[in-house]
Amino acid sequence: MKLRLTGAVAFSAALYAQLVGILFSVLIARKLSTTDFGLWAYVGALISYSLTPVGLVGGWISRDAARGEKVMYPSLMVSSFLVASGLTIYIAASTLTHSQIGAGLTMLLAGLLILVPNALANIATAIASGYTPHHVGLGSMLFETVKLVSAFTFVVLLGLSSLPFVFLAVGIGHASSMLFLLYAAKGTAGRLDLKKYLRKWLRGSIVNAVMIASGLLFTADVILISLLTGGTVVTAYWQAATVVGLLVNASSYLAAGLYPRLLSGGGLGDADKSLHFTLTLAVPILFGSIALSDYILSIVNPVYSVAWMAASLMALTYFIGIIMGMYNTLIIGTEQFDLDRVPAVKEYLKSRLALGVYVNAYTGPLYLSLLAVMLLLSRDAGINMQATSISAAKLAIALIQTAIYRRYAKTFTGFKMNLREVAPYFVSSLPMTLVVLVLKHLIGQPPQQLILVLRGAAVLSGAGALTYFAVLYCLSGKFRLLVREAIQTVRVYTTRFGLLPRHR
């Protein structure tokens, strides 16, 4: 498996998926009321909680699939019981909270159209992420494409712009992705050795249960925001701001090949290569997203363009999250305590895989407490300031978590980021940002018409990208080497498929 090829395929797929996902967000944000758009985010939070049972075994399925084991049939068998548990959780949560946020119970229960196919798609993703990780990005592309086409059909062509039809469109997308990933990972199909894996996964699920429980504190933010503000309007503004952060997060897929590479015997050289490959695009996308935050929000819906500060903070939060994810991948990817045996639960809890439990256990309550305080302090300052306060709380916790993971990554693996080597990415982003800001000043405020704001954003992004890569090529020897390797790879593949003549 080629580390950069996997990363490049995953990133290209992720970027496509993010862009199509934004188009989907634009579609529903412009068709739904602010309240319904916030309710869309609230249902997503409830679904995250309801997917907890499925998450109990997903990580262990990926680890075994990465080692070439036949996990498909045992995975599907176990997931059938876990999905039933998720349905119970979702129905109970909807019944208990619908009146507090002013939503109808029937509307919340329509989210089941997403939950079931989403749960099954998660199992398929767990299998594929270990066995054939580059197909995960392609599955994401398929999901976003089918979701957008289905939503366009329901909402625009048929005029069915109510939330249940949006939920149905998402469910169809998940079902398509699930079928594709299962086919891509068909090599993991084999004899149904349920007893072998059930024992291992159930032991591991105890650890995962603790990990997921601590992680659920962070998915409680949407629910807490809606309950404290008595509705879903503030949630809608923050959800729109999160779209800007998701653009930055797309570059994290450049490191998609690192985890399976480490599990199969890779080392710090692979981590360093993956880090530079990721930062090559993560840094300029961060700077560009902040500079164009008002344009991006205007694309979603002009009413949300005032939340540019919240969006800028979310972009920075997701960038910090990419760095944290690299450290975490190093920590768990080099752990081999479960390589040739079924460890005891105590061994799981003492292993590096449990580090996330302790980090989330400490920072989760801190995050929710800080979030509640920020919302209470800004409750009279308006919706925009409340959304900004939420993003500030999110950023503060991301910085704390990254510092913790950085320390343990250095302790366990000896990895240390060389700031001098990554400096060219930041230095090259400064003139890029200056060019974008000057051009944006000349163009003026984002127009209201969607086609005009898209055209403006495309011009500004293109000018920024040309500036960044030109400056980076002059500053970074590693980037020049990467360009030469990319050109050579393209030549190899084009020659192989007969697009270029072979040299004699």
Side-chain angles (χ1 to χ4, degrees):
M1 178 181 57
K2 296 183 178 180
L3 184 64
R4 285 177 175 167
L5 177 60
T6 297
V9 172
F11 171 74
S12 300
L15 183 60
Y16 171 85
Q18 293 287 1
L19 292 175
V20 176
I22 289 176
L23 288 176
F24 175 81
S25 297
V26 170
L27 178 64
I28 64 172
R30 287 174 173 260
K31 289 292 183 179
L32 299 178
S33 65
T34 304
T35 300
D36 281 349
F37 189 59
L39 186 59
W40 157 257
Y42 185 83
V43 168
L46 291 186
I47 289 175
S48 296
Y49 271 83
S50 304
L51 290 174
T52 300
V54 177
L56 295 177
V57 297
W60 307 114
I61 291 173
S62 295
R63 291 177 73 87
D64 287 333
R67 292 164 178 160
E69 299 188 31
K70 305 297 184 180
V71 298
M72 180 178 291
Y73 295 149
S75 302
L76 296 177
M77 182 69 70
V78 171
S79 68
S80 62
F81 298 100
L82 300 178
V83 171
S85 302
L87 290 172
T88 303
I89 294 172
Y90 186 87
I91 294 172
S94 299
T95 304
L96 292 173
T97 64
H98 74 94
S99 59
Q100 281 79 5
I101 64 169
L105 178 59
T106 304
M107 186 66 74
L108 288 182
L109 291 180
L112 294 173
L113 294 170
I114 299 177
L115 176 59
V116 175
N118 191 355
L120 296 175
N122 281 4
I123 291 294
T125 301
I127 299 171
S129 63
Y131 182 74
T132 174
H134 54 282
H135 278 97
V136 174
L138 298 177
S140 179
M141 291 176 64
L142 179 63
F143 162 67
E144 294 292 350
T145 302
V146 174
K147 180 179 72 172
L148 177 62
V149 171
S150 300
F152 183 82
T153 301
F154 293 142
V155 175
V156 178
L157 298 182
L158 300 179
L160 305 171
S161 57
S162 60
L163 265 179
F165 289 98
V166 175
F167 296 156
L168 178 59
V170 177
I172 294 173
H174 280 304
S176 301
S177 175
M178 174 197 66
L179 294 174
F180 169 76
L181 291 175
L182 288 178
Y183 179 78
K186 61 182 181 296
T188 62
R191 189 168 61 91
L192 179 58
D193 193 353
L194 184 60
K195 182 179 179 180
K196 171 187 174 181
Y197 294 106
L198 188 61
R199 178 173 172 235
K200 182 178 182 179
W201 294 344
L202 286 180
R203 278 192 177 183
S205 69
I206 298 176
V207 180
N208 267 8
V210 180
M211 295 177 68
I212 293 172
S214 60
L216 286 176
L217 293 170
F218 290 91
T219 59
D221 49 11
V222 170
I223 297 175
L224 181 62
I225 294 166
S226 300
L227 293 176
L228 288 179
T229 59
T232 56
V233 175
V234 175
T235 304
Y237 276 78
W238 184 57
Q239 183 73 7
T242 302
V243 171
V244 178
L246 291 175
L247 283 174
V248 179
N249 190 59
S251 56
S252 66
Y253 286 88
L254 285 169
L258 180 59
Y259 183 55
R261 171 61 70 87
L262 292 174
L263 285 175
S264 59
L268 294 183
D270 295 311
D272 185 68
K273 184 185 297 185
S274 185
L275 173 67
H276 282 276
F277 192 39
T278 302
L279 291 183
T280 300
L281 289 183
V283 176
I285 293 177
L286 167 66
F287 279 74
S289 296
I290 293 175
L292 295 174
S293 57
D294 53 345
Y295 266 80
I296 299 170
L297 290 172
S298 293
I299 291 173
V300 176
N301 192 324
V303 72
Y304 300 122
S305 61
V306 295
W308 62 269
M309 179 60 75
S312 298
L313 293 177
M314 287 306 299
L316 185 56
T317 299
Y318 275 95
F319 178 78
I320 298 299
I322 292 173
I323 305 299
M324 180 178 68
M326 293 287 295
Y327 286 134
N328 185 45
T329 298
L330 265 172
I331 293 169
I332 66 175
T334 53
E335 177 62 274
Q336 297 185 347
F337 79 111
D338 62 332
L339 184 59
D340 298 314
R341 59 195 178 88
V342 180
V345 174
K346 289 184 179 179
E347 291 180 276
Y348 279 114
L349 293 174
K350 291 180 181 180
S351 72
R352 301 177 195 176
L353 272 66
L355 177 62
V357 173
Y358 307 117
V359 173
N360 288 339
Y362 283 110
T363 58
L366 178 61
Y367 170 55
L368 293 180
S369 300
L370 180 60
L371 181 60
V373 171
M374 297 287 275
L375 282 173
L376 292 175
L377 291 176
S378 62
R379 61 184 174 183
D380 297 325
I383 296 173
N384 183 34
M385 185 55 67
Q386 286 181 301
T388 303
S389 299
I390 297 167
S391 297
K394 195 84 171 177
L395 175 60
I397 298 302
L399 289 170
I400 294 173
Q401 289 181 317
T402 302
I404 296 172
Y405 280 106
R406 176 183 178 275
R407 176 185 175 185
Y408 281 102
K410 183 179 179 181
T411 300
F412 291 138
T413 68
F415 180 81
K416 184 178 180 181
M417 185 185 302
N418 190 325
L419 297 179
R420 180 175 297 179
E421 290 187 356
V422 301
Y425 308 124
F426 292 89
V427 173
S428 301
S429 295
L430 294 177
M432 176 203 77
T433 305
L434 180 61
V435 168
V436 171
L437 291 176
V438 169
L439 290 177
K440 193 171 76 166
H441 177 73
L442 295 175
I443 294 175
Q445 293 297 318
Q448 295 291 314
Q449 296 88 348
L450 179 59
I451 187 64
L452 294 180
V453 72
L454 283 172
R455 186 174 65 185
V459 171
L460 294 170
S461 299
L466 288 174
T467 303
Y468 170 77
F469 287 116
V471 175
L472 183 62
Y473 191 85
C474 296
L475 294 180
S476 175
K478 285 195 172 185
F479 179 68
R480 291 193 293 271
L481 177 62
L482 178 63
V483 171
R484 288 195 291 270
E485 289 180 353
I487 293 174
Q488 182 62 32
T489 301
V490 171
R491 285 178 176 172
V492 169
Y493 279 94
T494 51
T495 301
R496 179 181 300 176
F497 292 105
L499 299 178
L500 288 178
R502 295 180 182 272
H503 294 290
R504 296 183 179 274

